[in-house]
């Protein structure tokens, strides 16, 4: 196992160096472009695997902590940093008057978003867009420890939902399993950059329920992504009046999902990840749940297809921010600029979600396999507006646009 991990780390590191060299040489003669430390980090972030089922290169601490951390001091520093970074933020757009109105420590209620999706559907990208907003506490994926399964009901759903609720309330007491998993898989914490800022120097801080609870309570914006729990179970979270959560359901064409999963060694042979019939049964279940939830909580659910986000990142991102009542920050523009085709001030960047990412499956998959997926997914694809390819020529043709309109019927 260890040898395999090492092998993959080396491959990953090698791939990354080649990418950086390529990026560097491509822009070497462009006097306008200097890849900053930040954009290098962004490249790394983007290449990071979706759920950390695979080896993960850790951030390398640039300095060591001398002595034991003074928790009071760390919290105070974080408090001032948030205040400073949000000094120009327009809180009226978030429906409140001041920062304190959104901070649990000051008796406020944070704006919370919950991304519900499944593996390889663009949650890493969406999560990192939202994490680009200063003052965001990114809970990442709370259910990593369950492995490669979908939770569709009891008995697993009870504990899973109670974990999610506790975390959204910044109450980490009693989450021993969560911390235990994280102590061996640091990717559970490292995506939460504002937590990781502290515990990359001293790992124990990440497993400390008191520290993480207190830190969490300082942040005005919380976001969480969940790829292992189906939408119908989220009703319980929306019914919880103590919480103030908005949900984004992120859906992707099953052909794109399956193509992307072929390149991830965590998926096969887990049936919940690898069987098109199960993947698409979940898509139908999510469709039905979306209709019901939109009727009951019309302002609390946004349904989104990954393809829309990839093809129109700027427009879609602003739509998401509006739904979440988040004010567009400069950091969002910068993130989009460095990760997508959106051009800001004419400066181009090194890494992009190019327009063909969502449709890569058209040329990468055999029609036989696509046909197999389509047979298992006919109903799900019809509901979510994905057109069937009739044959190999049709599938590979540039004129074949797999996207159709769809509506959520209630
Ligand atoms: C803040 O947002 C509100 C609502 O969108 C707007 O009316 C107001 O002009 C904004 N204030 C500033 C300072 O931009
Ligand atoms: C992105 O969209 C927003 C809102 O629709 C718009 O104000 C802004 O100019 C757009 N930016 C770019 C670079 O297209
Ligand atoms: C493939 O499908 C297209 C679009 O439906 C159709 O026009 C074409 O005749 C089909 N080709 C073959 C070889 O069946």
């Amino acid at each position: 196992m260890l040898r395999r991990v090492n092998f993959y780390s080396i491959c990953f590191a090698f791939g990354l160096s080649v990418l950086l060299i390529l990026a560097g040489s491509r822009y070497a003669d462009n006097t306008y472009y200097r890849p900053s430390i930040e954009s290098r980090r962004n490249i790394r972030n983007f290449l990071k695997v979706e759920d950390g089922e695979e080896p993960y290169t850790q951030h390398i601490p640039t300095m060591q902590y001398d002595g034991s951390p003074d928790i009071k001091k760390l919290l105070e520093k974080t408090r001032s940093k948030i205040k400073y970074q949000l000094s120009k933020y327009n809180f009226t757009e978030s429906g409140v008057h001041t920062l304190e109105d959104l901070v649990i420590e000051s008796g406020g209620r944070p704006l919370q978003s919950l991304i519900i999706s499944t593996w390889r559907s663009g949650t890493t990208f969406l999560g990192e867009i939202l994490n680009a907003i200063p003052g965001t506490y990114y809970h990442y994926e709370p259910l990593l420890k369950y492995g490669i399964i979908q939770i569709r009901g009891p008995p697993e759903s009870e504990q899973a939902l109670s974990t999610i609720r506790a975390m959204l309330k910044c109450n980490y007491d009693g989450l021993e399993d969560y911390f235990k998993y994280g102590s061996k898989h640091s990717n559970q914490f490292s995506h939460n950059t504002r937590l990781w800022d502290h515990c990359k120097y001293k790992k124990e801080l990440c497993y400390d329920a008191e520290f993480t609870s207190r830190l969490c309570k300082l942040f005005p914006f919380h976001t969480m992504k969940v790829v292992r729990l189906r939408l119908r179970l989220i009703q319980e979270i929306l019914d919880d009046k103590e919480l103030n959560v908005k949900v984004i359901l992120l859906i992707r064409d099953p052909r794109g999902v399956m193509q992307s999963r072929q390149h991830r060694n965590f998926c096969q042979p887990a049936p919940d990840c690898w069987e098109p019939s199960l993947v698409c049964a979940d898509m139908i279940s999510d469709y039905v749940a979306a209709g019901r939830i939109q009727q009951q909580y019309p302002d609390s659910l946004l349904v989104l297809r990954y393809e829309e986000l990839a093809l129109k990142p700027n427009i879609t991102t602003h739509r998401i921010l509006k739904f979440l009542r988040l004010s567009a920050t400069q950091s969002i523009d910068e993130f989009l600029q460095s990760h997508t085709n959106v051009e800001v001030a004419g400066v181009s960047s090194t890494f992009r979600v190019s327009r063909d990412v969502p449709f890569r499956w058209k040329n990468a998959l055999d029609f036989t396999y696509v046909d197999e997926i389509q047979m298992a997914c006919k109903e799900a694809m019809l509901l979510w507006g994905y057109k069937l390819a009739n044959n190999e020529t049709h599938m590979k043709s540039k004129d074949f646009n797999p996207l159709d309109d769809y509506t959520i019927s209630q």
Side-chain angles (χ1 to χ4, degrees), residues 128-362:
E128 294 201 351
I129 292 178
L130 298 178
N131 193 45
I133 298 177
T136 298
Y137 194 79
Y138 184 18
H139 295 278
Y140 192 56
E141 167 68 79
L143 307 180
L144 276 175
K145 71 169 173 108
Y146 288 84
I148 308 304
I149 62 155
Q150 281 301 330
I151 297 170
R152 304 181 177 99
E156 291 93 347
S157 61
E158 283 156 23
Q159 199 206 29
L161 283 164
S162 108
T163 300
I164 293 174
R165 278 160 73 167
M167 283 173 63
L168 288 171
K169 291 174 188 173
C170 293
N171 178 7
Y172 285 83
D173 288 335
L175 300 186
E176 280 81 16
D177 287 356
Y178 170 79
F179 289 119
K180 200 171 149 206
Y181 184 89
S183 68
K184 299 201 177 62
H185 304 83
S186 56
N187 63 308
Q188 179 175 280
F189 304 118
S190 57
H191 293 262
N192 186 352
T193 47
R194 279 121 201 151
L195 169 66
W196 193 245
D197 275 349
H198 300 296
C199 51
K200 68 183 164 196
Y201 303 122
K202 189 162 174 59
K203 292 276 161 53
E204 288 77 8
L205 283 175
C206 267
Y207 328 138
D208 182 330
E210 198 203 327
F211 175 70
T212 45
S213 298
R214 289 181 69 188
L215 186 73
C216 173
K217 287 179 184 157
L218 305 180
F219 287 84
F221 314 123
H222 294 190
T223 190
M224 180 187 284
K225 75 151 178 159
V226 174
V227 299
R228 289 166 172 79
L229 187 85
R230 300 328 315 147
L231 182 68
R232 55 184 288 270
L233 298 165
I234 293 304
Q235 177 92 30
E236 193 183 311
I237 306 275
L238 292 170
D239 290 341
D240 187 334
K241 296 293 167 241
E242 263 185 69
L243 292 172
N244 183 24
V245 179
K246 291 199 185 230
V247 177
I248 298 173
L249 173 66
L250 185 62
I251 291 287
R252 183 177 180 187
D253 189 325
R255 296 164 293 192
V257 168
M258 295 314 294
Q259 190 257 325
S260 179
R261 288 181 187 178
Q262 286 189 330
H263 304 284
R264 290 292 179 270
N265 64 7
F266 68 82
C267 197
Q268 205 175 10
D272 282 347
C273 192
W274 194 247
E275 283 289 331
S277 58
L278 291 177
V279 174
C280 288
D282 286 337
M283 287 177 72
I284 296 173
S285 155
D286 286 348
Y287 181 88
V288 174
R292 204 182 47 234
I293 292 175
Q294 274 192 342
Q295 197 164 34
Q296 197 178 347
Y297 298 105
D299 301 325
S300 299
L301 176 68
L302 178 72
V303 170
L304 193 70
R305 292 185 300 187
Y306 167 68
E307 293 80 9
E308 296 160 29
L309 184 60
L311 294 176
K312 295 182 174 167
N314 187 50
I315 291 175
T316 313
T317 298
H318 281 87
R319 211 177 113 209
I320 294 167
L321 296 179
K322 196 166 171 216
F323 164 74
L324 297 175
R325 305 188 76 174
L326 290 170
S327 181
T329 59
Q330 194 187 341
S331 57
I332 289 278
D333 279 347
E334 287 164 5
F335 181 90
L336 291 175
Q337 181 201 330
S338 59
H339 289 73
T340 72
N341 285 304
V342 175
E343 296 221 347
V344 177
V347 182
S348 54
S349 67
T350 43
F351 191 84
R352 292 170 168 194
V353 178
S354 69
R355 294 177 61 86
D356 62 36
V357 167
F359 303 130
R360 196 167 279 160
W361 63 268
K362 283 176 60 180

Side-chain angles (χ1 to χ4, degrees), residues 389-395:
N390 297 332
N391 53 50
E392 175 113 27
T393 326
H394 184 217
M395 174 177 88

